[in-house]
Amino acid sequence: MRNEDLARAVRLREEGQGEQARQLLVELAQRHPGDAEVAYQAAWAHDALGLEAEAVPFYERALAGEGLSDADRLGAFTGFGSTLRVLGRHADALETFERGLKEFPGDGALRTFRAMALHNAGRSAEAVTTLLQVVAESDRAGGYAPAIAYYADHLDETV
């Protein structure tokens, strides 16, 4: 029953029926309080509806539990850090992104969302450096990758 209900809730969310998905996932989370996958999906459903504060305890349960796939664990770190940033909890967001990057070093999305939190925390130079590094390592830098990578570490350099 748990698997069927979880699949139905995910399908509802994907079909744009977010409130119905959220309600089903809240019920599932009550029935399965230690289930990290259910908690992650409940967090996601709340976030998708703009209910960031309500998503927080579900993200906490998802990341404290076991059983998430690597992709879902990465998604939980990214979503939770982003949620904390949106809520103005910049230090908590940065801590969450750091935890995520310990498990998923180099992940471009985590690093990019971390850069936004760095900016919000008043560390804009570090944020820009991070973003330049992400761009330089991507396939979008074209022939400029070496220059972008150089300036990531020498952002304030002038002649």
Side-chain angles (χ1 to χ4, degrees):
M1 185 78 161
R2 174 256 189 219
N3 291 344
E4 295 83 12
D5 286 343
L6 183 59
R8 188 168 133 242
V10 169
R11 189 173 52 257
L12 286 168
R13 187 192 71 237
E14 290 172 346
E15 293 172 352
Q17 298 178 53
E19 183 54 35
Q20 295 90 329
R22 187 194 69 77
Q23 289 174 11
L24 180 55
L25 286 160
V26 167
E27 293 169 15
L28 266 173
Q30 289 170 345
R31 291 197 318 257
H32 304 278
D35 190 315
E37 186 178 11
V38 169
Y40 172 55
Q41 292 298 331
W44 189 346
H46 282 85
D47 259 353
L49 292 170
L51 303 171
E52 286 85 359
E54 291 87 345
V56 169
F58 292 108
Y59 277 125
E60 290 171 337
R61 282 199 293 187
L63 289 169
E66 295 183 16
L68 287 181
S69 68
D70 284 348
D72 283 350
R73 190 149 174 89
L74 174 59
F77 277 118
T78 306
F80 188 32
S82 179
T83 291
L84 292 168
R85 185 190 74 78
V86 168
L87 291 171
R89 295 174 55 186
H90 305 128
D92 293 334
L94 288 168
E95 187 272 331
T96 299
F97 291 131
E98 293 301 326
R99 284 178 45 215
L101 286 166
K102 284 181 183 171
E103 289 188 36
F104 303 96
D107 182 77
L110 271 177
R111 290 166 63 206
T112 300
F113 279 98
R114 179 180 171 271
M116 288 185 260
L118 285 167
H119 168 73
N120 294 132
R123 296 163 56 187
S124 293
E126 192 176 346
V128 171
T129 293
T130 298
L131 292 174
L132 289 173
Q133 290 167 340
V134 170
V135 170
E137 294 165 9
S138 76
D139 63 353
R140 300 291 188 191
Y144 295 97
I148 293 170
Y150 175 83
Y151 285 114
D153 293 328
H154 302 92
L155 189 58
D156 295 320
E157 183 176 290
T158 59
V159 288

